[in-house]
Amino acid sequence: MNKNNATLRAQFGPDFEFGTATSAYQIEGHQFGGAGRTHWDDFAATPGNVVRAEHGAVACDHYHRYAEDFDLIQAAGFDSYRFSTSWARVLPEGRGAVNQEGLDYYDRLVDALLERGLKPNLTLYHWELPSALADLGGWRNRDIAHWFADYAQIIAARLGDRLHAIAPINEPWCVSFLSHFVGAHAPGLRDIRAAVRSMHHVLLAHGTAITALREMGQTNLGGVFNLEWSGPADETPAAQEAALMHDAYYNRFFLEGVFQKSYPNRLMPTFEPHLPKGWQDDFDTIGAPLDWCGINYYTRSLIAPSDGPWPHHHAVAGPLPKTQMGWEIYPEGLYKFLMRLKDEYNITMPIYVTENGMAHEDQIAEGQIADPQRIAYIQDHLDAVARARNEGVNVQGYYVWSLLDNYEWALGYEKRFGLIHVDFDTLERTPKASYHWLKDNLSRPAP
Ligand code: FCB
C-alpha cells in the first residue's frame, strides 16, 4: 500500500469510495432532543453489564456538535459518511407518535452532509431498540418486522430523497446471537431459543424493510454483515469441525439466509426446534434482492472443541498482535471473506467494507496523538481489499470505524476506535496522526 508515495486515491482509482462510520447511540447523546428510552439505557443501568455502568446519555455530544464533526470529515477528503438514525429518537415508544424534533435533527444532518459534498450512507438500526418494544419481547417477537418497516418508511419519507444508500440493520449477528445467546449486549439474554428466534426475526425485519423501502421507490439498498474469520485452534479434526460450526452460526447463517434463501444444514439439528413455525416460508422476504453488500470486518477467532452443550466449543487466545480489544490483527481474513463472497455466494453486486478499524490506548502528548498502529492496521486491511479487487471481487468502497472515539457498548468509553480523539470530560476533538495520514492520502488533486 502506498508504495512509491502513491496515494490511496491513486491506488484505488477515482471511483473507489472512502468513508468513515459512526452510529447514533455511540456518539449523539441520547438525553438530548426528546429521544425515548432504549434497551441500552436499561442494560447499562444493570450492574455488571457495562464497564463502569457507562451509557450514551451524552456520549460525544454529536447532537450539538455535528457541524464541527462534519467539517472534519470533509477536510480529510472522505467521499461518504455512514451513520445511523436512532429508532427511539424518532419514535420514542417504537411505534405511534413521532418525535418531530428527532426527525428534524436527522433532516439537518443530511443537509449538513450534502452541503459538504459528503454522501449520506444511512443505517436504520444500530442497536438502540426502544424500551417499549423490548417490553413486547423485542427481537424475539415476530411483529418486530412490521414495527421496523414502519419506522423505516417514516425515515425514508423524510430523508429518502437525499440519501446515497440505505442499509436496514447493522450486524445481524450482534443484534441476535451476541445479545441473546452470549448475553454481552442488550438485552443481555443467554437463551438458545431467544437467540435462534431473534436470528430469524432480524433477517425477516431486514427483508421486510427492504421490501417496504423499494415500494416507496428507494434505491441503493444493501445489507451490512459482521464477519469474523473462524479458524481451528489446531489441526485436529475436532478443532476443524468446531471452527466450521462457529463459522456457520456467526457468518454463514446470515449470508446464506439473505443470498441463498436457506440456513446452513450444520445448524439445523440444534436450531430447528427453536425456529418459529413456518420459518421456511419467510425466505422470499429475507432474500429480497439487494443493490450492495456491506461487510464489517475486524478479526478472527481460533476455535477449540469443548464439553458441554452446543456449540461444544470455545475460543482460545491466538498468537498474533492484538488491538486494545484483545482482537488479533488478521487482514488475511478480510481478503478471504471477500473471495468467499465472490466464489461461494456468487456476489457480483458492489461490495463495501462498511466498517474496519482498531481500538488503541491513544494518548495525547502536547496536543498530538501518534497512532502508527492504526495507520498500519488500515493500510494492511486496504492491501487485503486491493488483493481481492485484483482477483475480481467487486469491492467499491471502504469505511473506517470510527470517525470519533465513542461509546464502545459494554466496554464503555475506554476503547478508542476514533480517527479523532475525544476528551470525554471537555468533549474536545483532536485529530490523531491516522486522521492526518488519511487526509494526505485522500485529498484529490485540484482539477
Ligand atoms: C462493530 C459495531 C460498532 C463498533 C465496532 C467496534 O461491531 O458495529 O458499533 O462497536 O464493532
Side-chain angles (χ1 to χ4, degrees):
M1 172 65 45
N2 219 4
K3 292 168 189 100
N4 311 320
N5 291 328
T7 67
L8 294 174
R9 288 286 182 208
Q11 182 173 6
F12 282 85
D15 298 330
F16 191 83
E17 205 170 279
F18 283 97
T20 182
T22 64
S23 89
Y25 192 83
Q26 293 179 276
I27 64 166
E28 285 177 355
H30 220 72
Q31 75 182 22
F32 307 120
R37 202 173 168 84
T38 82
H39 71 171
W40 266 97
D41 302 309
D42 305 328
F43 184 72
T46 310
N49 284 341
V50 177
V51 172
R52 290 181 296 272
E54 287 169 347
H55 48 68
V58 174
C60 306
D61 189 25
H62 179 74
Y63 189 80
H64 297 108
R65 297 169 195 246
Y66 67 87
E68 174 187 352
D69 295 338
F70 291 176
D71 285 347
L72 285 163
I73 305 176
Q74 182 190 33
F78 286 110
D79 306 296
S80 47
Y81 174 57
R82 177 170 174 259
F83 68 114
S84 71
T85 45
S86 158
W87 190 343
R89 180 177 294 294
V90 173
L91 291 163
E93 295 294 311
R95 302 175 293 173
V98 168
N99 172 32
Q100 282 305 332
E101 207 177 331
L103 216 41
D104 291 348
Y105 166 65
Y106 290 123
D107 202 78
R108 289 198 298 279
L109 282 196
V110 171
D111 282 345
L113 290 170
L114 294 177
E115 278 161 21
R116 291 166 177 78
L118 297 165
K119 297 177 186 171
N121 182 338
L122 176 69
T123 301
L124 289 161
Y125 184 78
H126 201 128
W127 306 356
E128 61 284 269
L129 187 74
S131 297
L133 299 182
D135 294 342
L136 301 175
W139 291 102
R140 285 178 293 156
N141 187 334
R142 180 183 178 86
D143 290 344
I144 199 162
H146 293 289
W147 305 333
F148 181 63
D150 290 347
Y151 154 65
Q153 288 197 320
I154 289 168
I155 296 287
R158 182 70 185 265
L159 312 178
D161 57 335
R162 286 158 292 152
L163 295 174
H164 169 61
I166 307 179
I169 291 168
N170 180 65
E171 302 190 345
W173 181 84
C174 292
V175 173
S176 53
F177 199 90
L178 183 67
S179 307
H180 298 80
F181 188 85
V182 182
H185 278 191
L189 296 182
R190 291 171 47 73
D191 182 295
I192 191 162
R193 189 170 179 82
V196 173
R197 293 170 94 82
S198 63
M199 287 169 88
H200 183 72
H201 292 151
V202 77
L203 290 185
L204 184 64
H206 155 87
T208 307
I210 291 287
T211 306
L213 293 168
R214 287 255 187 251
E215 279 166 8
M216 297 174 74
Q218 289 297 147
T219 54
N220 210 17
L221 307 177
V224 172
F225 305 90
N226 59 305
L227 304 179
E228 181 173 293
W229 193 259
S230 309
D234 57 48
E235 293 309 310
T236 60
Q240 290 181 15
E241 172 55 33
L244 290 175
M245 184 62 86
H246 184 263
D247 191 31
Y249 68 77
Y250 201 120
N251 304 306
R252 292 189 183 273
F253 180 90
F254 303 97
L255 293 173
E256 201 170 308
V258 169
F259 296 112
Q260 297 182 330
K261 301 188 181 189
S262 63
Y263 291 146
N265 284 335
R266 186 181 301 277
L267 296 174
M268 281 305 119
T270 308
F271 277 28
E272 175 116 46
H274 303 301
L275 281 163
K277 273 207 183 63
W279 59 276
Q280 296 92 338
D281 301 334
D282 289 331
F283 280 120
D284 280 340
T285 304
I286 290 172
L290 297 178
D291 304 309
W292 55 273
C293 171
I295 69 170
N296 295 353
Y297 177 81
Y298 290 93
T299 189
R300 73 169 179 185
S301 274
L302 292 182
I303 307 296
S306 48
D307 295 335
W310 185 90
H312 317 298
H313 65 232
H314 63 282
V316 298
L320 302 176
K322 298 182 185 57
T323 71
Q324 191 190 13
M325 299 291 275
W327 295 347
E328 279 193 305
I329 300 176
Y330 185 61
E332 182 73 11
L334 177 55
Y335 165 78
K336 291 197 280 195
F337 273 127
L338 291 170
M339 297 306 290
R340 180 191 284 188
L341 293 180
K342 173 169 89 70
D343 294 338
E344 294 185 45
Y345 293 93
N346 302 313
I347 291 181
T348 54
M349 68 183 85
I351 296 170
Y352 296 88
V353 177
T354 33
E355 282 181 30
N356 178 241
M358 71 175 278
H360 188 256
E361 299 87 344
D362 300 310
Q363 310 282 349
I364 297 206
E366 293 168 14
Q368 313 274 325
I369 298 132
D371 59 346
Q373 304 82 351
R374 183 171 288 108
I375 294 172
Y377 182 101
I378 294 172
Q379 191 164 298
D380 291 347
H381 285 79
L382 277 166
D383 274 342
V385 172
R387 247 173 93 204
R389 259 160 72 88
N390 288 339
E391 293 174 39
V393 183
N394 189 16
V395 198
Q396 295 198 2
Y398 172 93
Y399 289 70
V400 180
W401 183 272
S402 180
L403 175 69
L404 303 168
D405 291 341
N406 60 42
Y407 179 62
E408 181 45 40
W409 307 111
L411 301 173
Y413 290 95
E414 188 175 277
K415 307 294 179 198
R416 294 184 176 273
F417 273 93
L419 296 172
I420 296 169
H421 180 274
V422 177
D423 177 325
F424 289 106
D425 295 322
T426 62
L427 297 171
E428 189 184 344
R429 275 77 163 141
T430 310
K432 303 177 189 176
S434 54
Y435 171 93
H436 295 295
W437 172 74
L438 280 164
K439 185 173 175 180
D440 290 344
N441 268 277
L442 297 182
S443 59
R444 291 176 185 273

